[in-house]
Amino acid sequence: MSDTTPILVTGGAGFIGARLARRLARLGHPVTVFDTFSEQVHGNGSAARTGVAVDGINVIQGDVRDGDLIERALRASRARVVIHLAAETGTGQSHTEPAHYVDVNVTGTARLVEAIREVGGIRRVILSGTRAVYGEGACVDRAGLRVAAVARREADLAIGDYAPKDKVGRSLRPVATASDTPAAPTSVYASTKLMQEYLLTQGLWGSETHVGLMRLQNVYGPGQTLNNPYTGVLSVFARKIADGEKLEVFEDGAITRDFVYVDDAVEAFVSMVQTPIVTAQPIDIGSGKGATLLEVAKKLLETMDADPDALRVTGAFRPGDIRHALADISAAKAVLGWHPNVALDSGLIRFAEWAIAAPRTAVA
Ligand SMILES: NC(=O)c1ccc[n+]([C@@H]2O[C@H](COP(=O)([O-])OP(=O)(O)OC[C@H]3O[C@@H](n4cnc5c(N)ncnc54)[C@H](O)[C@@H]3O)[C@@H](O)[C@H]2O)c1
């Protein structure tokens, strides 16, 4: 795609979307942001509007479930590329509000598919998917052989046995997860995100619109909403530190996540726009390094100059949570020529500096 290809970004006022929209506009793309300015994410939305009120970005307030409105937005924007980020994103919240998550994430994506087919001329749609679709992810047994992990059982978790297991209950060792790992979502959120992948690939099969799928690990950095209690462990931690509350670290603190800095994630999307061909083979985007939640909690307390003991390992667990997440990013390197640039320590400093100064609804 050339630098002047018009792009429509659904969810383009959000944490990743706003930064991506601004980056694409700076590259010269005419960008249209299509976003409902969800109150849970944006409060009254004024900071989010300011965040995308820059030259080269046109903002349309709308809901992806409104097919007529998306059609009009696609026509008005003359988009040739769509990047689909609009979604409800809370794993825990999806457990208590499954119908709403299906409505926004699944029905919303179906409406987008219909609109793309109806309007025509869209050459590429890129989905901001998630590693959550893997569930526990790639694991090996004692002999080092790949074995599928099943969803962890409540009875095991309740007695502090947190390890991923195979279907006969043997403990497994997690390894880096690549897209040849079968999907096995363990939460409603993850199931809806997998359904988005299916809807786009199946719904646009045989059409002029090629589908690119990305599966992001935990994205963090400036601009991550601090007022949405349902998403982003680092923003939840940052909010608690700013409020002088103790951090609650789930399970035994050894849950592992692969934290990828937002600008690195944004560059991965830019690579997906620029790469000559996309295939429906999902591309994993992460730092390629795991960090335990206890480790990042301690680092964030230190970086935000807070009491280093202001945390509690609770032993609590959440439905749908998985134990270890670590991306195999070799496909992203090989296919997109992409690699992460920001190490966790320096990313946390940038995030902390922003979080200390940021009003709750700010967009970086
Ligand atoms: N942040 C992460 O760590 C992460 C990891 C994996 C995948 N993702 C995916 O990336 C995307 C963006 O995530 P984010 O962290 O920027 O989230 P975010 O909540 O900051 O952004 C989502 C945006 O979508 C908008 N939105 C919500 N419902 C909408 C609707 N019905 N119609 C139109 N817009 C709507 C919200 O107003 C918000 O601006 C999501 O699809 C998410 O599943 C994020």
Side-chain angles (χ1 to χ4, degrees):
M1 302 286 163
S2 83
D3 282 355
T4 53
T5 304
I7 300 181
L8 182 132
V9 184
T10 75
F15 164 45
I16 302 170
R19 231 163 157 92
L20 173 61
R22 293 197 302 266
R23 172 82 174 112
L24 292 169
R26 274 199 308 277
L27 285 170
H29 293 280
V31 175
T32 299
V33 159
F34 184 93
D35 198 298
T36 193
F37 292 90
S38 143
E39 197 184 336
Q40 178 170 288
V41 180
H42 298 294
N44 69 13
S46 60
R49 278 185 188 79
T50 314
V52 286
V54 301
D55 282 351
I57 300 183
N58 177 36
V59 177
I60 297 175
Q61 180 160 7
D63 194 310
V64 280
R65 292 167 291 178
D66 183 342
D68 290 343
L69 192 56
I70 311 175
E71 266 188 40
R72 288 208 294 280
L74 286 173
R75 287 188 211 282
S77 66
R78 299 178 187 280
R80 293 292 168 265
V81 173
V82 173
I83 306 181
H84 185 35
L85 296 106
E88 290 289 3
T89 62
T91 301
Q93 189 182 31
S94 74
H95 190 70
T96 51
E97 299 178 40
H100 177 62
Y101 270 68
V102 169
D103 199 22
V104 172
N105 296 357
V106 179
T107 304
T109 303
R111 296 271 182 246
L112 179 64
V113 166
E114 288 175 357
I116 287 172
R117 292 184 78 109
E118 182 63 31
V119 172
I122 316 287
R123 300 210 297 268
R124 185 172 297 181
V125 55
I126 298 165
L127 176 68
S128 184
T130 170
R131 69 78 50 218
V133 300
Y134 297 120
E136 293 295 340
C139 287
V140 293
D141 65 11
R142 276 214 186 136
L145 296 172
R146 282 292 176 102
V147 178
V150 297
R152 293 182 300 162
R153 293 183 330 132
E154 204 176 340
D156 292 335
L157 297 169
I159 56 164
D161 180 358
Y162 304 118
K165 305 236 174 357
D166 66 10
K167 63 182 182 207
V168 292
R170 291 181 306 165
S171 292
L172 301 173
R173 185 167 60 81
V175 294
T177 299
S179 68
D180 59 358
T181 307
T186 60
S187 70
V188 173
Y189 165 68
S191 296
T192 64
K193 293 296 289 183
L194 183 60
M195 190 68 185
Q196 290 186 326
E197 295 186 3
Y198 290 153
L199 278 167
L200 289 171
T201 47
Q202 293 160 6
L204 294 168
W205 188 88
S207 78
E208 63 192 319
T209 309
H210 295 166
V211 177
L213 303 174
M214 300 172 64
R215 291 179 175 169
L216 308 178
Q217 299 276 333
N218 279 54
V219 184
Y220 75 100
Q224 188 157 27
T225 176
L226 297 181
N227 60 320
N228 182 353
Y230 300 106
T231 61
V233 63
L234 284 179
S235 62
V236 171
F237 282 172
R239 182 169 48 83
K240 285 192 181 245
I241 295 171
D243 289 349
E245 290 175 34
K246 269 198 170 177
L247 305 187
E248 294 196 344
V249 185
F250 289 152
E251 301 186 11
D252 56 356
I255 292 177
T256 307
R257 292 291 179 266
D258 177 335
F259 291 99
V260 57
Y261 191 69
V262 61
D263 287 345
D264 285 333
V266 162
E267 288 315 309
F269 280 99
V270 171
S271 304
M272 282 291 273
V273 170
Q274 292 175 344
T275 193
I277 296 168
V278 289
T279 67
Q281 181 70 17
I283 307 248
D284 291 286
I285 301 297
S287 69
K289 298 196 168 74
T292 69
L293 290 193
L294 186 57
E295 190 183 331
V296 292
K298 285 182 175 166
K299 277 187 190 194
L300 198 60
L301 285 166
E302 188 189 331
T303 316
M304 290 179 76
D305 236 354
D307 173 2
D309 297 322
L311 61 82
R312 196 166 67 87
V313 176
T314 63
F317 53 89
R318 295 185 311 174
D321 241 359
I322 57 104
R323 180 69 172 170
H324 294 288
L326 175 62
D328 178 339
I329 54 175
S330 50
K333 288 179 178 166
V335 177
L336 300 177
W338 172 90
H339 56 85
N341 281 314
V342 181
L344 183 59
D345 282 348
S346 50
L348 278 183
I349 292 171
R350 293 187 214 176
F351 172 62
E353 281 170 355
W354 172 82
I356 288 164
R360 282 292 160 78
T361 53
V363 172

